[in-house]
Amino acid sequence: MDSFFLFSALCLVAVMIITLYRTVVGPTVLDRLLGVNAIGSKTVVLLVLLGFSFQRVDMFVDIALAYGMLNFIAVIAASRYFQKRKGLHDESQGS
């Protein structure tokens, strides 16, 4: 069963690397924000898989929930910042 969790975690990390490419290279701010949010969501699942792997699910679920909440708040705050201060819509329409 541990090999299943390890294989799932490795597949998840591979998907996170692909998403990291979009986050770094993304042509618009929206692409980068969505990339960061996707990486954060996958990190929550990865933390739960690590919890199953180490047989400490209760501790890792708490950490995953806190991380997921912080990720959500950070993406919302960054979205509001770019919408109000940087003109998020102007950049996406200009290119």
Side-chain angles (χ1 to χ4, degrees):
M1 196 66 167
D2 284 338
S3 61
F4 172 73
F5 292 131
L6 180 63
F7 179 73
S8 300
L10 288 176
C11 289
L12 200 57
V13 168
V15 171
M16 288 171 72
I17 290 172
I18 294 170
T19 308
L20 182 65
Y21 173 76
R22 176 55 57 195
T23 302
V24 171
V25 178
T28 65
V29 174
L30 284 175
D31 292 333
R32 292 184 174 122
L33 282 174
L34 288 175
V36 167
N37 192 16
I39 289 173
S41 300
K42 288 170 183 45
T43 302
V44 169
V45 177
L46 185 65
L47 284 171
V48 172
L49 286 175
L50 285 175
F52 279 116
S53 225
F54 290 120
Q55 298 175 351
R56 298 285 314 261
V57 178
D58 52 346
M59 183 179 79
F60 280 90
V61 165
D62 291 340
I63 294 170
L65 287 175
Y67 183 80
M69 180 82 73
L70 286 174
N71 181 41
F72 176 72
I73 291 170
V75 168
I76 293 295
S79 299
R80 293 288 294 175
Y81 172 76
F82 285 115
Q83 182 183 19
K84 296 286 182 183
R85 304 276 185 221
K86 298 287 185 180
L88 186 62
H89 296 293
D90 294 335
E91 181 184 356
S92 64
Q93 293 174 354
S95 58

